[in-house]
Amino acid sequence: PALARAGGNEAPLRGLRVIDLGPFTAGPLTARYLADMGAEVIKIEPPGGERSRGWQPRVAHSSHYFANYNCGKRSVELDLGTPEGAAALRALVGSADVFVQNLKPGALGKLGIDLDAIAAAQPRLVICSISGYGRTAPPDAALDMVVQAGAGLMALVDGPTASGPLKTGFSYGDLTAAHVAAFAILAALVERDRSGHGQTIDVAMHDALVWLTQLGWPGIAAPSFAIDGDNTGWTLRVAGEEPVAVLEVAATVNGDDARRRGTLRPVRAGAEGAWQVLASPLRWREAPADVGSFVAVAGADNVRACAAQFI
């Protein structure tokens, strides 16, 4: 049934179907936002349910963590390692308007599920993939702490005695990526209404966190806005794994991941000035969001406004 809204208005995404594939936070939270706005969200879970259903705190065998990111959704258990399960997923996606997935890059291919083939067969479908470093990146571990370290965020979080970098108190990378993904999906649906075509969206936690770090740039001594920066930083060992570099912001925006993703873009500022600014973390394959090529001088368009060219 349609969700009621104040004043008798129906939920804005009523009538849209979303398939939600993937565990834990980033993908499920993205889909939960869409469910809150009235979309029918079908969560795909492995046999026995997603692992986070067993996480504490629990009430009456129900996990608060799972409830927070998955309330308002339908649930379908599928064993995607079997031909029958994979076929059922493809059939469900075939009935959908939006497909959200946050499996590790390459995982769907191992299950015989080809996102490019799905997009070609369903031109109106909006596909959103969320990962640590983007769909084209190596399938590195995308633990939130690892991405925080690599994105430079931890270098901006001082401990009580300023003794070194710290992880934020909650999963900033997962949560920020979910906000970016939901925004990108809504924009893609608007574009679909106009053009009749869907979009393939590629959201990276690393992009989202680098976007956040710009708030800390004025306090960084290194030349954060330069093309070439100082690649020094701390190291962090996570759960017995190999040390992970904790980078300063300047090093992050000039690192391999940022270069591969085109994170910095040149922008003209006035007649002679120029800045390097962050590209949008919204990445659409078919119609990518892009940075404007200039910063307007104050009042630059006054004449056009007076001539009613904006009306």
Side-chain angles (χ1 to χ4, degrees):
L3 298 179
R5 288 294 186 268
N9 295 324
E10 293 180 342
L13 298 187
R14 176 181 178 269
L16 293 180
R17 172 173 283 186
V18 177
I19 305 302
D20 170 17
L21 173 64
F24 309 137
T25 306
L29 178 56
T30 301
R32 188 250 159 112
Y33 285 138
L34 304 180
D36 288 349
M37 291 184 279
E40 178 195 32
V41 176
I42 301 175
K43 181 176 179 65
I44 307 301
E45 301 188 61
E50 182 180 308
R51 189 171 65 185
S52 67
R53 283 182 179 270
W55 290 2
Q56 297 292 343
R58 300 176 68 190
V59 175
H61 307 290
S62 176
S63 164
H64 177 265
Y65 180 97
F66 183 87
N68 190 64
Y69 295 127
N70 295 284
C71 57
K73 303 177 185 178
R74 302 180 185 276
S75 175
V76 173
E77 292 183 342
L78 293 178
D79 184 352
L80 297 180
T82 66
E84 295 79 10
L89 174 64
R90 285 192 290 269
L92 282 170
V93 172
S95 71
D97 299 279
V98 179
F99 179 32
V100 181
Q101 68 91 18
N102 68 315
L103 300 182
K104 184 184 295 186
L108 282 178
K110 292 179 180 178
L111 297 171
I113 299 170
D114 185 336
L115 287 181
D116 292 333
I118 290 174
Q122 295 176 240
R124 286 181 56 82
L125 181 67
V126 174
I127 299 174
C128 182
S129 295
I130 307 170
S131 60
Y133 303 95
R135 279 190 65 193
T136 60
D140 295 333
L143 295 173
D144 188 86
M145 183 182 294
V146 174
V147 181
Q148 283 193 31
L153 180 61
M154 290 175 64
L156 303 176
V157 182
D158 289 333
T161 59
S163 59
L166 291 175
K167 178 186 180 296
T168 60
F170 49 91
S171 299
Y172 248 119
D174 289 311
L175 298 174
T176 307
H179 285 75
V180 169
F183 180 18
I185 289 169
L186 294 177
L189 290 170
V190 171
E191 166 61 19
R192 188 183 75 165
D193 287 345
R194 182 165 44 234
S195 69
H197 297 286
Q199 295 280 348
T200 300
I201 302 166
D202 178 19
V203 173
M205 293 163 61
H206 184 270
D207 289 347
L209 285 186
V210 170
W211 179 261
L212 288 184
T213 63
Q214 63 183 301
L215 298 177
W217 287 0
I220 298 297
S224 301
F225 296 107
I227 289 294
D228 296 311
D230 178 10
N231 287 318
T232 60
W234 296 281
T235 59
L236 172 74
R237 186 177 294 277
V238 181
E241 300 293 334
E242 290 299 315
V244 176
V246 181
L247 300 179
E248 294 279 8
V249 176
T252 298
V253 297
N254 294 296
D256 291 340
D257 289 312
R259 291 181 186 275
R260 177 178 54 82
R261 298 285 286 179
T263 299
L264 281 178
R265 303 289 178 86
V267 170
R268 290 184 291 105
E272 299 178 356
W275 287 110
Q276 295 289 337
V277 301
L278 286 178
S280 171
L282 307 178
R283 303 299 174 96
W284 295 0
R285 178 180 298 181
E286 288 77 11
D290 204 357
V291 176
S293 61
F294 64 93
V295 178
V297 175
D301 297 291
N302 285 1
V303 173
R304 291 182 64 197
C306 293
Q309 293 184 23
F310 289 155
I311 299 175

